Amino acid sequence: MTHTLTITEGDVVCAQRLHATPNTSLSVFLVVVAVIVVVGTYAEGRFSAGAAIGSLVGMFGGLAVLFLVIIPYRARRIYRQQKNLHLNHNFWWDNQMIFFQSEDSEGKTRWSDFTKVKENRKMLLLYHSDTLFSMVPKHCFVRREDLEAFKSCL
């Protein structure tokens, strides 16, 4: 069955945010280490309470700015620059490969060539390498069964 993939600016923002999000265990580890370092430094008397709180607020504020301002700005810019994202793409798959086709390009990739997959409630990212991925918004699947059949090939 052929599906139509239409990428929106919001899809690119979602994909870039998902790409920038570390896995849950790494996120928890980094937050715990940051809190331990700041609290430990405060406990040793190297930081005042205000400096310790300011450090934590600064770290989490920086992440908020990254995810709420910087990533969306850059993603919208990428969407405006990369004209092939504005085209409709058709895609279909079998047990061995996924096939893509648009008015000016076509391609296929073996499922086994994808190095990893990231997913959230709106998006699937199929990674060709650590930084290069193909985005598949879940809204392009009309039926839940089609999405599940697609994911079963991963």
Side-chain angles (χ1 to χ4, degrees), residues 39-150:
V39 169
T41 306
Y42 167 72
E44 289 181 356
R46 294 183 188 176
F47 275 175
S48 66
I53 292 169
S55 297
L56 290 173
V57 168
M59 282 188 275
F60 293 112
L63 286 173
V65 168
L66 176 67
F67 277 84
L68 299 175
V69 177
I70 295 171
I71 289 175
Y73 170 79
R74 291 181 66 208
R76 287 190 295 272
R77 186 171 176 215
I78 288 168
Y79 184 78
R80 286 190 308 270
Q81 290 174 346
Q82 193 171 338
K83 299 303 181 194
N84 68 333
L85 291 176
H86 302 206
L87 301 174
N88 286 334
H89 292 78
N90 293 315
F91 72 101
W92 61 98
W93 65 91
D94 61 25
N95 290 334
Q96 298 297 315
M97 298 187 147
I98 181 170
F99 304 87
F100 288 93
Q101 184 179 37
S102 71
E103 65 184 57
D104 63 352
S105 66
E106 60 184 52
K108 60 185 176 181
T109 304
R110 291 188 183 284
W111 292 112
S112 60
D113 289 347
F114 293 115
T115 59
K116 70 178 178 178
V117 176
K118 274 186 149 179
E119 177 182 8
N120 64 17
R121 60 186 180 83
K122 294 182 177 182
M123 181 73 59
L124 285 163
L125 300 181
L126 310 177
Y127 281 84
H128 303 272
S129 67
D130 288 342
T131 58
L132 180 64
F133 57 84
S134 295
M135 62 183 112
V136 181
K138 291 183 178 179
H139 63 73
C140 66
F141 295 96
V142 177
R143 300 177 323 159
R144 179 102 178 130
E145 297 82 23
D146 293 338
L147 173 59
E148 295 304 321
F150 182 82

